[in-house]
Amino acid sequence: MKLKQLEGLLGDLQQFSNPKVDLEQYPTGPHIASRMLFTAENSYGDITDKVVADFGCGCGTLSAAAALLDAACVIGFDIDPQSLETATLNAEELEVEIDFVQCDVTKLELKGQVVDTVVMNPPFGTRKKGADMEFLSAAMKVASRAVYSLHKTSTREHIKRAALRDFNAKTAEVICELRYDLPKLYKFHKRKEVDIAVDLWRFEPRQN
């Protein structure tokens, strides 16, 4: 599947109708989601025929992208039941098969090396300090092959240090820097839209 085709399909998905500020729910736009998953597959072979988990999947944009790129199995995890309802509708609309699980990913315990690749757009940690690190720590415990994650560019050194020192990463690499258009979703947002620099990371876990 070509990148433009993938982005076009993701652009039709439903997003949060009533986003929850405490969960830092922001939609992962089709531009970023398509490039994230397309790069994971075309540069590293981490999606097609692999078991892919989407942590904090929200409305399922990254899950859908993985399914459209022919992942062997896609599992989306989220704590919010309303988001999972929307994600399920999106999967049905695209006619792709995705398993959705309601749970707190930071407390997830999967036995054995069942997941190849974790993809995620975690909370940036602006409402709950350290939320981004909790997601990364959980993902590194689950993925056997690679973790792809979006983090604010301003946290780059902190992310790299924590991944290599604390989260058992063999490698931690910024693949590219992207612009995240943050729409005005909450009352405390002063501006209509904010443009945030984010890094797309690829982490490779050490094999235990």
Side-chain angles (χ1 to χ4, degrees):
M1 181 178 288
K2 289 191 166 62
L3 177 60
K4 279 290 175 196
Q5 186 184 0
L6 181 61
E7 184 175 350
L9 288 167
L10 297 179
D12 293 332
L13 299 182
Q14 294 182 52
Q15 294 298 340
F16 302 105
S17 57
N18 186 27
K20 297 174 177 63
V21 66
D22 56 318
L23 298 177
E24 288 190 56
Q25 289 182 333
Y26 299 101
T28 307
H31 178 83
I32 282 185
S34 57
R35 277 149 187 80
M36 188 172 173
L37 273 291
F38 192 84
T39 302
E41 174 50 34
N42 282 273
S43 297
Y44 300 95
D46 284 333
I47 305 298
T48 301
D49 297 328
K50 304 297 186 294
V51 177
V52 178
D54 180 359
F55 276 17
C57 65
C59 298
T61 306
L62 297 179
S63 298
L68 290 166
L69 290 171
D70 296 320
C73 174
V74 183
I75 314 157
F77 297 91
D78 204 282
I79 201 168
D80 179 34
Q82 285 178 306
S83 297
L84 292 176
E85 283 179 23
T86 304
T88 301
L89 291 172
N90 283 332
E92 289 171 359
E93 187 68 28
L94 285 173
E95 298 181 346
V96 293
E97 197 169 310
I98 303 169
D99 294 317
F100 291 108
V101 179
Q102 186 188 351
C103 72
D104 180 349
V105 298
T106 63
K107 297 179 173 65
L108 189 64
E109 288 187 27
L110 292 176
K111 303 297 183 210
Q113 299 290 332
V114 293
V115 173
D116 296 305
T117 305
V118 173
V119 297
M120 60 182 188
N121 178 14
F124 288 143
T126 52
R127 304 299 290 183
K128 181 191 173 191
K129 192 170 172 57
D132 51 344
M133 291 289 125
E134 289 180 1
F135 267 68
L136 183 56
S137 174
M140 292 300 293
K141 289 172 186 167
V142 168
S144 62
R145 188 179 174 95
V147 173
Y148 291 85
S149 187
L150 295 167
H151 298 272
K152 286 163 92 170
T153 300
S154 58
T155 64
R156 185 178 292 176
E157 290 308 312
H158 175 56
I159 296 283
K160 184 162 192 170
R161 190 165 55 246
L164 294 172
R165 184 188 63 198
D166 304 326
F167 300 152
N168 202 39
K170 184 168 78 173
T171 62
E173 176 189 8
V174 175
I175 299 171
C176 62
E177 187 178 313
L178 297 159
R179 307 301 299 184
Y180 194 105
D181 292 325
L182 211 58
K184 182 177 180 179
L185 294 178
Y186 303 109
K187 284 179 180 158
F188 64 84
H189 285 163
K190 300 289 188 284
R191 283 180 285 171
K192 188 177 176 184
E193 193 173 80
V194 180
D195 200 22
I196 297 175
V198 296
D199 291 336
L200 170 56
W201 285 87
R202 182 181 188 270
F203 304 96
E204 197 176 320
R206 292 184 192 279
Q207 302 303 322
N208 293 325

